[in-house]
Amino acid sequence: MVLNRSGMWQEEVTVPSAHTFLMPEAMTFEEAAALLVNYITAYMVLFDFGNLRPGHSVLVHMAAGGVGMAAVQLCRTVENVTVFGTASASKHETLRENGVTHPIDYHTTDYVDEIKKISPKGVDIVMDPLGGSDTAKGYNLLKPMGKVITYGMANLLTGPKRNLMALARTWWNQFSVTALQLLQANRAVCGFHLGCLDGEVELISSVVARLLALYNQGHIKPHIDSVWPFEKVADAMKQMQEKKNVGKVLLVPGPDKN
């Protein structure tokens, strides 16, 4: 398995040996391709920053995506964790089967209102890949000692074409908080970017070792949405852009086998 920041959409690559990890015997190549980025991100957000513990509640945005599905599986490794997951209604049944306690359709309902109905005090951890105004919503949903961990800016991407107004609106709505406000609120705001941990070989290796142990014990298993040959990369991207995927979308070298 290879963890590299970019340049992987080709048949042969040269990478530092420290960025490679041995696959378990029982793991498929598709699972190996789906494991590292999604599960390292989900694990470090939930456990290293989030300090996930029994009895906690977690809001997972884009719960049917690659990182979202990984996070939901990892939440099941801790006792009595309540998971709120946002996704389109068509994906709710799959999410329930995978461990989401309360799926929420963000198209038809306000997720803040839905969470407050079930948990008036809010949640302990918010996983925020959205950015913009949603970071502020997540912060205001936190219980005392709660944490919002931002690890993406999906709100910048609104459709197939670049929308400068959406970019400007998301930038303008970007959440800001002072140290004094954090002190009085008993909350934390964290930022995570796996691509900026390139040099932290020991840290990443220790996380991968824990993830492989969970895989070997049967606690986690990458959820593959679809597999596409390189020449259909545009179709693969469209699958994600139109939010049709449940789990990881993969590219494989070689001709189309279908």
Side-chain angles (χ1 to χ4, degrees), residues 55-128:
H56 271 179
S57 53
V58 183
L59 170 58
V60 181
H61 282 296
M62 298 165 65
V67 174
M69 293 290 274
V72 171
Q73 289 183 11
L74 287 166
C75 283
R76 289 200 305 193
T77 67
V78 180
E79 282 183 280
N80 196 29
V81 170
T82 301
V83 179
F84 297 89
T86 64
S88 306
S90 61
K91 301 174 181 179
H92 284 191
E93 190 176 337
T94 304
L95 290 180
R96 282 194 189 92
E97 289 168 0
N98 279 272
V100 174
T101 324
H102 303 288
I104 299 170
D105 184 359
Y106 60 95
H107 294 293
T108 58
T109 55
D110 183 322
Y111 65 84
V112 173
D113 292 342
E114 291 300 304
I115 291 169
K116 285 290 182 74
K117 284 178 197 170
I118 298 161
S119 177
K121 286 188 175 181
V123 297
D124 297 289
I125 300 169
V126 173
M127 294 183 63
D128 171 37

Side-chain angles (χ1 to χ4, degrees), residues 9-45:
W9 290 9
Q10 47 196 10
E11 293 182 0
E12 292 184 12
V13 293
T14 303
V15 297
S17 59
H19 291 189
T20 64
F21 304 90
L22 286 173
M23 287 168 54
E25 283 291 324
M27 185 178 281
T28 67
F29 285 105
E30 288 78 13
E31 287 176 340
L35 185 89
L36 290 182
V37 172
N38 289 163
Y39 281 83
I40 292 172
T41 299
Y43 188 96
M44 296 187 79
V45 166

